[in-house]
Amino acid sequence: MDEVLLRSLTPGVLTVMVARGADFAAAEDAVQDALLEAVRVWPADPPRDAKGWLVTVAWRRYLDAVRADAARRRREDRVDQEPSPAPSPAVDDTLQLYFLCAHPSLTPSSAVALTLRAVGGLTTRQIARAYLVPEATMAQRISRAKRTVSGVRLDRPGDVATVLRVLYLIFNEGYGGDVDLAAEAIRLTRQLAAGIDHPEVAGLLALMLLHHARRPARTGPDGSLVPLAEQDRGRWDTKAIAEGITLLQAALSRDRLGEFQAQAAVAALHADAQRAEDTDWVQIVEWYDELVRLTDSPVVRLNRAVAVGEADGPRAGLAALAELDASLPRHSAVSAYLHERDGDVVTAARLYAEAAHKAPNLAERDHLTRQAARLNARARG
């Protein structure tokens, strides 16, 4: 089986599907199914026209999925019209599905990607953005994961760390992305915390609650983004903050520090400040140092550069930023912010415009565009 050939044909097949009127996400799933079928069939019976074969199989799978979805909707409509049944115990197997998808036969990153796609409802594009990889690369990773588990029994649940990573990424997408999944991620993490006594489970729940507490203040009446320093802190959910800090303190007292506890500690320091200028940036830098030690994540290093800029001045922040790859998501936005604080308005305006061009969603793009326009007007005046 020539996997290089399959990869080269995938974009063209997807283009044909969309041109025929298929929804992109559904077409993507159909093409992935066709690729799996090709892996199974082609070694014994290779087609004369590989692309044509893939288009035909993918289109059939797409039509089958559309018909199945329509039938499901009809069944749901009929159920909605029926009288309510007698009360019955509520059963929620969602969390169990997360554990089953995190199968031991998969690498942690593949298990997370598969679970996000199959159970979490995220698109391949959203998952790729979370992992900082091209969409095509993530599509291949998910296909390989499907192929790996297609021949195994899903009776060996995965580990807690993989499920926590899935819940964390789903919450992040729900908090700042196209699909609102944050409340569901919190609900499932509460379930997990109730069943497992683990400091990182508590740390993740604390992190979610502390971030979610700020959600009402994150956007203005017109839907525009409001930066943390400019948020009306009176709109923050103090009950959620108190619960998050209590959970975090209990987790930290067990002296088994993990990534989610450290992130929650940063969020707690932001939540504890009555005003933006009261934020303890020195402590935040120290927690980011712990996160770098635990994860060595480029995104963590990017956030640390911002904290260093607040604690030690913008030039120190720019020096920390200079050590990072400029292609990192939001690198331009961070650089623009630090240059503006350093008084270089012209460079900051250019970088804000560059960041707006790379923004992953419309709200962020609009915010960065307004920042660039503000500084351009200031430079002209």
Side-chain angles (χ1 to χ4, degrees), residues 63-80:
L63 292 178
D64 288 345
V66 169
R67 293 179 186 125
D69 186 62
R72 177 186 59 78
R73 290 177 184 276
R74 287 195 296 271
R75 289 195 299 272
E76 289 175 352
D77 289 342
R78 286 197 297 270
V79 169
D80 287 342

Side-chain angles (χ1 to χ4, degrees), residues 182-196:
E184 175 67 0
I186 292 174
R187 184 184 71 82
L188 291 172
T189 307
R190 282 193 186 280
Q191 277 191 16
L192 190 59
I196 298 178

Side-chain angles (χ1 to χ4, degrees), residues 229-274:
E230 300 172 19
Q231 288 176 15
D232 177 0
R233 300 185 178 218
R235 299 183 63 197
W236 290 1
D237 185 342
T238 54
K239 183 179 178 182
I241 290 172
E243 181 184 1
I245 290 176
T246 299
L247 285 166
L248 174 62
Q249 289 173 338
L252 290 175
S253 69
R254 300 175 66 173
D255 199 24
R256 290 166 56 193
L257 183 64
E259 172 189 356
F260 298 122
Q261 295 169 71
Q263 286 197 52
V266 172
L269 286 166
H270 283 299
D272 193 48
Q274 295 296 312

Side-chain angles (χ1 to χ4, degrees), residues 28-29 32-33 35-36 106-107 109-119 122-128 131 133-150:
E28 186 181 48
D29 284 342
Q32 296 301 324
D33 287 343
L35 292 174
L36 291 174
L106 297 172
T107 63
S109 61
S110 294
V112 171
L114 178 62
T115 312
L116 289 170
R117 187 74 187 94
V119 187
L122 271 63
T123 66
T124 302
R125 180 176 300 172
Q126 290 169 325
I127 302 168
Y131 269 90
V133 299
E135 186 176 350
T137 300
M138 184 52 66
Q140 292 163 13
R141 185 180 299 178
I142 294 171
S143 292
R144 285 195 298 270
K146 287 180 180 179
R147 190 161 64 243
T148 298
V149 300
S150 63

